């Protein structure tokens, strides 16, 4: 009887005939059929006339599975990402230029568009553009609804800023092209950030549809399985917390930007209202001037009032004391205010004397950046005094002049006196700054003034003081001084951003013997008329507290003023407080020392 096993190996049956040659005949047993990933059996060899033929034809390749592009690799998202990178580089470059324009105005301003404002507002718009572009690039893949709402608010507020800057005449004159361009840059960055947030959100929603719906092909099935089984990983919740943290940070960055833009807009609207305030005096004029080194023209406020003649006092014992004496010509009093004080505010005591007829003609002005004047390209003392002379010429003032300089104004008047020595008839220095106190000593408030000038465009002082001064039926004097009246907002150094920026420039040019202002002061000593009658008024308390101040006042009287010009050196004492110390030694003698201090100034 034949062996059944040998028959099984030699003669295939109906089942084994369908198997390939390396099947059960080679392994001694049957082999289960295999299947591919698509669920189809592998192709079987073609049948031939000879069953023992070993020829195997080329297998038919499987049908290719169509690949679907990731929702994050679309051209709109790629284009938005490239645009964000471009705006990030552009806004960063503009930010650097605006910072240099504040720190080095003499070197940068000639190459930039004309700007007669504080130079800080363009810095804020450039900073906002840089802030948003860099933060959006860092958190590009974390969109959120709250972030989009904040971006829409920021975009609307920025458009309001652009409308105000480009339609109000005062802003067109002072802020001009530079601020408008930086505001437009901020609007463009906000728009790109909003578009990118929307596109990424749409891509995430499209990716979610793959999870919710049945996969159409193998690639979608694998992607669906990857997302569904992601929760099985050990760091799943850590990733979720990290994603929530990035979304929160992205929202807070945009939210703070919206708050800043809202504050800037409110401050711009208040400044728009304040710009309608008329000039303070009947004889006030805004003169367009351009000093020799200036790159553009700007306006300064000058007011001159009163006649150039007075009745000479009748001191004869045989005449009627009430009868006025003969007329005689008197010099024009030219007042220069201290630092942080405009001429409009500082010359109040002189204007009162003019109204009483005690003095003749009085001229006062607001230095560039103070009061009603524009800011100048440079706060160097030589350029400032050149601006004063040009304003006097345009107003028809020929002199002669009696110079009254208070604080920082006394130092400026020394430059004016040296340049126009033949027109000077006298000097009155009231607690005047000197080289010992301004250039050869440090100042503790230099940095604080700089940072306050940077925050000035937000208008925090005037916004916080506005409700108390406007809504209150009986506002306090403090409320009025801190922002309740338009005139005070124009004159106060802490409410007027131009004044803060100018004071910061004055301080940056001082406290260094290598500054251009110190060089100008040294050069003026050669031409200074030291034989002109001079009166010096000094605070005794300030001299006792500050040795540099005492040296400066002593030098002003003994070295700067010649022996022929020394009339009187009045050392004024403020009075003692309850502890026996002299009070308010750093105040203004003519304005803060009561009737006694005012009488000292009027008598001089």
């Amino acid at each position: 009887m034949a062996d059944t096993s040998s028959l099984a190996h030699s003669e295939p049956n109906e089942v084994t005939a369908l198997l390939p040659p390396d099947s059960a005949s080679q392994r001694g047993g049957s082999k289960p059929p295999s299947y591919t990933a698509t669920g189809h059996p592998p192709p079987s060899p073609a049948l031939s006339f000879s069953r023992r033929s070993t020829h195997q034809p080329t297998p038919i390749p499987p049908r290719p599975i169509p690949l679907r592009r990731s929702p994050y690799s679309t051209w709109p998202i790629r284009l938005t990402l490239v645009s964000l990178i471009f705006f990030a580089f552009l806004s960063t470059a503009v930010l650097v230029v605006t910072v240099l324009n504040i720190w080095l105005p003499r070197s940068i301003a000639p190459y930039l568009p004309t700007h007669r404002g504080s130079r800080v507002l363009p810095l804020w718009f450039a900073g906002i553009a840089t802030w948003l572009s860099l933060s959006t690039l860092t958190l590009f893949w974390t969109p959120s609804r709250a972030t989009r709402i904040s971006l829409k608010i920021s975009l609307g507020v920025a458009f309001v800023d652009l409308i105000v800057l480009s339609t109000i005449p005062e802003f067109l004159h002072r802020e001009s092209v530079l601020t408008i361009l930086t505001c437009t840059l901020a609007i463009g960055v906000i728009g790109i950030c909003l578009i990118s947030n929307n596109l990424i959100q749409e891509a995430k929603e499209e990716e979610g549809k793959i999870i919710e719906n049945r996969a159409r092909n193998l690639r979608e099935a694998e992607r669906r399985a990857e997302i569904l089984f992601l929760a099985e990983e050990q760091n799943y919740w850590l990733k979720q917390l990290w994603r929530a943290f990035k979304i929160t940070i992205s929202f807070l960055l945009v939210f703070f930007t919206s708050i800043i833009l809202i504050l800037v807009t409110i401050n711009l609207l208040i400044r728009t209202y304040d710009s309608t305030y008329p000039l303070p005096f009947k004889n006030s004029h805004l003169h367009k001037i351009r000093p020799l080194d200036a790159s553009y023209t700007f306006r300064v406020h000058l007011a001159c009032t009163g006649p150039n003649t007075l009745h000479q006092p009748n001191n004869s014992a045989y005449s009627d004391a009430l009868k006025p004496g003969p007329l005689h010509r008197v010099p024009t009093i030219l007042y220069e205010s201290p630092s942080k004080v405009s001429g409009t505010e500082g010359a109040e005591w002189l204007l009162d004397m003019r109204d009483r007829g005690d003095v003749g003609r009085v001229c006062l002005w607001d230095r560039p950046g103070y009061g009603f004047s524009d800011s100048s390209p440079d706060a160097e003392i030589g350029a400032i005094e050149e601006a004063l002379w040009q304003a006097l010429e345009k107003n028809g003032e020929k002199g002669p002049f009696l110079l009254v300089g208070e604080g920082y104004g006394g130092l400026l008047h020394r430059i004016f006196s040296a340049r126009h020595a033949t027109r000077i008839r006298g000097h009155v220095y009231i607690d005047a700054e000197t080289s010992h106190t301004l250039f050869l000593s440090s100042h503790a408030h230099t940095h604080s003034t700089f940072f306050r000038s940077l925050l000035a465009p937000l208008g925090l002082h005037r916004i916080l003081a506005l409700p108390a001064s406007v809504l209150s039926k009986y506002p306090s004097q403090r409320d009025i001084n801190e922002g309740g009246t338009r005139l005070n907002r124009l004159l106060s150094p802490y409410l007027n951003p131009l004044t803060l920026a100018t004071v910061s420039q004055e301080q940056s040019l001082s406290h260094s013997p290598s500054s251009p202002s110190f060089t100008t002061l040294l050069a003026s000593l050669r031409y200074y008329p030291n034989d002109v009658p001079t009166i010096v008024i000094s605070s005794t308390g300030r001299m006792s507290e500050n040795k540099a101040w005492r040296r400066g006042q002593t030098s002003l009287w003994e070295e700067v003023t010649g022996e022929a010009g020394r009339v009187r050196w009045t050392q004024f004492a403020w009075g003692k407080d309850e502890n026996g110390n002299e009070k308010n030694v750093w105040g203004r003698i003519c304005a803060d020392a009561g009737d006694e201090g005012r009488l000292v100034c009027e008598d001089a």
Side-chain angles (χ1 to χ4, degrees), residues 220-496:
E220 289 187 357
E222 292 175 351
R223 178 60 178 161
R224 181 184 183 191
E226 179 184 353
I227 296 174
L228 289 176
F229 290 99
L230 184 64
E232 296 181 0
E233 297 183 6
Q234 295 180 356
N235 58 349
Y236 170 74
W237 292 111
L238 182 61
K239 289 184 177 180
Q240 294 299 315
L241 289 175
W242 176 243
R243 181 174 177 273
F245 173 76
K246 291 193 295 182
I247 291 177
T248 304
I249 293 298
S250 176
F251 164 71
L252 290 178
L253 293 176
V254 179
F255 177 75
F256 288 142
T257 303
S258 302
I259 296 299
I260 291 173
L261 283 172
I262 290 174
L263 291 176
V264 170
T265 304
I266 294 176
N267 191 35
L268 284 178
L269 295 177
I270 296 177
R271 288 179 59 188
T272 302
Y273 174 65
D274 293 343
S275 65
T276 61
Y277 193 87
L279 294 177
F281 308 112
K282 182 179 179 181
N283 297 322
S284 293
H285 298 283
L286 289 176
H287 295 292
K288 278 189 176 183
I289 60 170
R290 183 175 181 176
L292 297 178
D293 297 334
S295 56
Y296 53 83
T297 61
F298 54 91
R299 300 176 308 184
V300 295
H301 169 232
L302 176 70
C304 295
T305 179
N308 288 321
T309 57
L310 278 179
H311 287 281
Q312 185 175 1
N314 196 340
N315 297 324
S316 174
Y318 302 99
S319 62
D320 187 358
L322 299 178
K323 184 178 179 180
L327 286 174
H328 69 288
R329 186 174 178 82
V330 292
T332 299
I333 298 177
L334 183 58
Y335 175 77
E336 188 77 71
S337 62
S339 181
K340 300 181 182 180
V341 179
S342 67
T344 301
E345 180 183 5
E348 182 182 359
W349 61 279
L350 275 174
L351 295 177
D352 290 342
M353 294 181 67
R354 171 57 254 158
D355 293 340
R356 297 196 304 264
D358 296 338
V359 294
R361 189 165 182 80
V362 176
C363 285
L364 59 94
W365 80 312
D366 293 332
R367 286 194 299 274
Y370 284 78
F372 295 87
S373 299
D374 301 333
S375 64
S376 64
D378 192 4
E380 193 266 329
I381 58 178
I384 296 300
E385 290 308 292
E386 175 65 22
L388 172 59
W389 176 247
Q390 289 188 15
L392 290 171
E393 281 188 324
K394 290 200 171 185
N395 207 63
E397 304 296 330
K398 304 296 184 181
F401 299 105
L402 169 62
L403 304 182
V404 178
E406 188 176 357
Y408 185 69
L411 190 69
L412 295 174
H413 266 342
R414 288 172 58 180
I415 308 298
F416 186 90
S417 181
R419 292 182 175 181
H420 311 283
T422 58
R423 301 175 185 269
I424 308 303
R425 295 295 180 267
H427 302 111
V428 176
Y429 295 111
I430 306 172
D431 259 347
E433 290 273 9
T434 61
S435 60
H436 294 78
T437 56
L438 194 67
F439 299 108
L440 304 180
S441 62
S442 60
H443 201 287
H445 302 290
T446 302
H447 300 294
S448 63
T449 304
F450 175 72
F451 287 115
R452 293 188 74 164
S453 67
L454 291 181
L455 297 177
L458 302 182
L460 296 177
H461 281 82
R462 59 175 63 184
I463 293 174
L464 294 177
L466 201 59
S469 58
V470 175
L471 301 180
S472 176
K473 186 176 181 181
Y474 301 102
S476 64
Q477 186 63 35
R478 179 179 179 181
D479 294 333
I480 295 175
N481 292 338
E482 291 185 354
T485 65
R486 287 192 291 171
L487 180 60
N488 187 265
R489 286 196 294 267
L490 290 170
L491 302 182
S492 173
Y494 303 108
L495 301 177
N496 190 338

